[in-house]
Amino acid sequence: MKDWLRDRRLAAAIVAVALLAGATQLLLWWIGPAPKANEFVGPPRSGYTLTDFKLDQYDVDGLPSFRIAAPHLERREGDDSLYINAPVFELPSNQPGVPDWHGHSLYGWVNHDGTELKLQGPVHLERAAFDDTPQTTMDTSEVTAWPKQNRLETAEPAQLVQGGTRIHGIGMRADLNDKHLELLNDFHGIYPPRGR
């Protein structure tokens, strides 16, 4: 037996390694996590590029949640998010008599299901005057927005101008539905007296 193993040690080593690899794979299947279920229904989407495009997204009630137009959009292979150059966007108020917010930024990114929007570089937003509310402008950078909730935030310096009122600070959270604005640090504001 000793001579037989010595003469066939390469073959015996190959068989031993194969048995060890098979046992390791069986052990991995037994104790490893179950594979993730693919939630995507339909064929996988390929990468694509659009030029001079317009995109409208609607919420579950059929109301517009955001609109974007830009000279270039790219969806890369294997990634469900959208990469946008120089987006011009609109955040609809969906409230009668209240104008939509319009804005632009240097770059944009939208996640795969359209629930999160990142505006990169300088960001400018404005809303036309309505009722007794003067025109409003907001200037900041690096904004994360949740269009379906009409919310946005940034950790960068932000300035809001509404008529004679000027406020600025570092870090901002805003809910555009209930007109709630929160400046997080280094707040400065100028409030003109109200007429009687």
Side-chain angles (χ1 to χ4, degrees):
M1 179 75 170
K2 194 175 186 181
D3 290 338
W4 184 84
L5 281 176
R6 188 188 61 199
D7 293 342
R8 291 172 181 81
R9 72 180 139 182
L10 179 61
I14 290 172
V15 169
V17 168
L19 287 173
L20 184 62
T24 303
Q25 184 62 46
L26 285 173
L27 184 63
L28 180 64
W29 284 337
W30 183 48
I31 64 170
K36 286 186 175 181
N38 188 359
E39 297 174 8
F40 182 76
V41 177
R45 296 189 308 173
S46 61
Y48 55 82
T49 301
L50 300 175
T51 55
D52 297 323
F53 80 97
K54 291 181 181 178
L55 172 78
D56 293 329
Q57 179 165 350
Y58 296 87
D59 64 13
V60 294
D61 298 324
L63 297 172
S65 62
F66 72 89
R67 296 181 183 101
I68 295 180
H72 183 84
L73 173 139
E74 185 175 335
R75 183 191 173 278
R76 297 179 190 136
E77 191 72 37
D79 184 1
D80 288 335
S81 23
L82 304 175
Y83 299 85
I84 306 165
N85 290 350
V88 176
F89 53 90
E90 184 177 313
L91 298 169
S93 71
N94 294 326
Q95 298 174 17
V98 178
D100 301 337
W101 284 91
H102 298 272
H104 57 83
S105 68
L106 193 58
Y107 297 105
W109 174 86
V110 181
N111 70 343
H112 71 283
D113 57 1
T115 58
E116 186 176 341
L117 167 67
K118 290 192 184 280
L119 303 168
Q120 299 162 323
V123 178
H124 176 78
L125 285 161
E126 61 185 52
R127 182 176 65 189
F130 66 100
D131 296 335
D132 61 348
T133 304
Q135 178 182 0
T136 306
T137 62
M138 189 182 308
D139 289 290
T140 186
S141 61
E142 309 305 322
V143 171
T144 301
W146 295 270
K148 291 182 180 181
Q149 292 99 24
N150 232 355
R151 292 184 313 112
L152 53 95
E153 71 178 35
T154 182
E156 301 299 316
Q159 175 176 297
L160 179 102
V161 176
Q162 188 176 62
T165 301
R166 298 182 187 291
I167 58 174
H168 59 90
I170 298 174
M172 175 195 68
R173 291 186 196 128
D175 187 325
L176 303 178
N177 288 333
D178 64 7
K179 302 174 195 87
H180 178 82
L181 176 71
E182 184 180 352
L183 292 167
L184 305 176
N185 293 303
D186 197 24
F187 171 79
H188 299 280
I190 298 172
Y191 297 93
R194 290 189 177 201
R196 294 181 187 226

